[in-house]
Amino acid sequence: MNRALAVLTFGALLTLLIGVVASGESLPALLLGTVFTASATAGFSWVRARGRPAWSLGYVAVQLPIAFVVFSLNAGVGATLLLVVLVSQCVLLRLPIAATAVVVGLVPFVHLGMSWGEGLREGLGTLVSAVFAAIVTELLQREQRARAELAEAHERLRDYAAQAERLATVQERNRVARDIHDGLGHSLTVVQMQVKAARAVLPTDAAKADEVLAKAQDQAEAALAEVRRSVRTLREPREIPPLPDALRALAELTSASGVTTSVAISGERRPLADETHEALFRAAQEGLTNVRKHARATRAELVLDYVDAAVRLAVRDDGSGAASTAASGFGLVGLRERAEHLGGRLSVESAPGAGYTLSMEVPG
C-alpha cells in the first residue's frame, strides 16, 4: 500500500511538472508539490513507523495546508491527486474516525473560489473521490491485516499439528509398550511356568510333562502369532472373541500352569467397545500373571460384573498377600493408564495372609 501511494504521489508531481512546462506558469505550485511529495514519502514512513497519534495529527496538519495552496495555484488533476493521497494516508495512520472525517470534509472546500454552481459540482466530485479513497484504503488495510492474521493462524496450526504428531507418537509408543508387556510378557510368563512344571514332573511322569510342554508350545505359538500381528501393524483386523470366552480361555491356561482358576460372570451381558474389551482382558491377564509370579497362591478367580453403566473385572487369589498395594510395576502402570483413558479406575487391595485383589471398572 505504501508503494502504491508513493507511485500515486510521484504521478501527481509529474502531472504538476507537465502542467508547468506546458503553461510556463505555476512554478510555486511545483515547488510546493515537491515539498509535499518529499514529506508524503520519507516523512510519512517516518511518522507511521513511530505510531504516535500526536505525530500523525501533526503530519496531517502540515500536509493539508500545503495541498490546499498547491490546488489554489494549480487547480488541476495533480493537485487533486495530492489530496486523495493525503486522505489515504490519514486512514493508514489510523487516525480517529472523526479526524479522518474532518479531513475528508475539508477537501471539497478547495473549490471555494469558484462560482456557486461550478464549485458545488466540483466539490461533490472531489468529496466522492476522497470518500472513495478512504473506503478503498480501509478495505485494503483490512485485507492486509486479514492476510497477516491468516498467516499467523496457519503458523500456529502447523505448530499445533506438530505438537499433536509428537503427542500421538508418544501415545502410540506407550500403547505398543503396554501391548508388548501385557501380551508377549504374559505369554512368556505362562511358557516359563509351564516349562518349570514340566521339568518338575519329568522324572516321575513323562506323559504329564509332555502334556504340559505341548501347552507351552501352543502358548509360544500364540505369542509368536501376536508378535506377527504387531509387526504387520494390525493391517488385517483380528477376530476378537467375546470377553467371557476370552476370560475362560485365560483361566484354562492359568489352571494348566498350576493355579486353579475359575470364572464368575454376573449381570446382563452386552457387546463392549474394542478398547473396553482390550482393557478388561489385559487387566485379567496382568492379574493372573502376577498371581503366578508373586502370590504363591493355589486358587484364583476372575469375576466379571456387568452393571448399569459400567463393567467391573476383579482378579482374586488366596495367596500370601502383601502389606503394600503400591502399583509400581510397568504392567500395573499400563493398566492404570488404560483405565484412566477410558474414564475408569484401577484399584489394588491386599493384606498379609488375605490374598490379593486387582479390580478395574470402566464405562461400558
Side-chain angles (χ1 to χ4, degrees):
M1 191 66 192
N2 286 343
R3 291 180 180 178
L5 285 179
V7 171
L8 183 61
T9 304
F10 280 107
L13 181 62
L14 181 60
T15 303
L16 285 175
L17 176 61
I18 293 173
V20 170
V21 172
S23 63
E25 301 177 355
S26 301
L27 183 60
L30 178 60
L31 295 176
L32 287 176
T34 303
V35 173
F36 183 97
T37 300
S39 180
T41 50
F44 172 74
S45 298
W46 187 87
V47 170
R48 191 181 185 190
R50 296 300 179 275
R52 296 181 181 178
W55 283 102
S56 300
L57 290 173
Y59 169 82
V60 174
V62 170
Q63 290 289 85
L64 186 60
I66 295 177
F68 263 71
V69 174
V70 171
F71 192 91
S72 66
L73 295 175
N74 187 344
V77 176
T80 304
L81 289 178
L82 294 181
L83 291 168
V84 170
V85 167
L86 183 59
V87 170
S88 294
Q89 289 180 339
C90 289
V91 177
L92 292 176
L93 290 173
R94 296 185 181 182
L95 293 181
I97 295 178
T100 303
V102 168
V103 174
V104 172
L106 288 176
V107 166
F109 286 93
V110 295
H111 301 286
L112 280 178
M114 298 180 180
S115 63
W116 185 88
E118 185 180 2
L120 181 61
R121 184 181 68 254
E122 296 293 334
L124 286 176
T126 305
L127 178 63
V128 170
S129 300
V131 171
F132 180 78
I135 292 175
V136 169
T137 304
E138 177 63 24
L139 291 177
L140 290 175
Q141 192 166 242
R142 289 184 182 182
E143 182 186 3
Q144 288 180 345
R145 286 197 297 265
R147 288 178 179 273
E149 291 172 359
L150 183 60
E152 183 179 356
H154 283 169
E155 186 65 29
R156 288 199 302 268
L157 185 59
R158 282 194 292 268
D159 292 340
Y160 293 154
Q163 292 175 9
E165 183 178 0
R166 289 193 294 270
L167 179 60
T169 301
V170 172
Q171 290 176 337
E172 181 65 12
R173 187 184 298 120
N174 291 339
R175 186 193 67 80
V176 171
R178 286 195 302 266
D179 287 347
I180 291 174
H181 177 276
D182 296 345
L184 184 59
H186 164 78
S187 298
L188 293 178
T189 300
V190 172
V191 170
Q192 179 193 37
M193 299 297 292
Q194 289 173 334
V195 170
K196 285 182 178 180
R199 293 183 63 187
V201 300
L202 183 60
T204 59
D205 192 344
K208 180 66 175 177
D210 184 67
E211 179 185 351
V212 174
L213 286 174
K215 291 181 178 179
Q217 182 179 356
D218 292 340
Q219 184 67 29
E221 290 175 352
L224 182 59
E226 185 166 351
V227 170
R228 286 171 177 167
R229 283 195 298 268
S230 298
V231 171
R232 289 196 301 268
T233 322
L234 300 179
R235 290 180 179 176
E236 301 176 2
R238 60 178 177 176
E239 183 179 351
I240 302 177
L243 184 58
D245 295 344
L247 294 180
R248 291 191 184 96
L250 193 60
E252 290 177 4
L253 288 173
T254 305
S255 297
S257 68
V259 181
T260 303
T261 304
S262 61
V263 178
I265 300 174
S266 61
E268 183 178 353
R269 301 184 189 184
R270 55 183 177 270
L272 300 174
D274 290 348
E275 276 192 301
T276 303
H277 179 289
E278 183 77 5
L280 293 171
F281 178 77
R282 295 304 187 186
Q285 200 174 52
E286 176 68 18
L288 291 179
T289 298
N290 288 338
V291 168
R292 287 190 299 269
K293 291 171 62 176
H294 309 300
R296 297 192 293 274
T298 59
R299 297 187 62 84
E301 182 183 22
L302 293 176
V303 179
L304 180 63
D305 185 14
Y306 292 90
V307 293
D308 291 339
V311 183
R312 286 195 294 263
L313 177 85
V315 183
R316 302 191 182 106
D317 66 66
D318 63 352
S320 58
S324 173
T325 59
S328 57
F330 181 82
L332 293 178
V333 171
L335 290 180
R336 194 176 301 279
E337 289 176 351
R338 290 181 187 271
E340 291 175 351
H341 175 69
L342 295 172
R345 60 188 179 88
L346 182 79
S347 62
V348 178
E349 299 175 4
S350 182
Y356 183 96
T357 300
L358 171 69
S359 300
M360 178 183 284
E361 179 176 336
V362 293

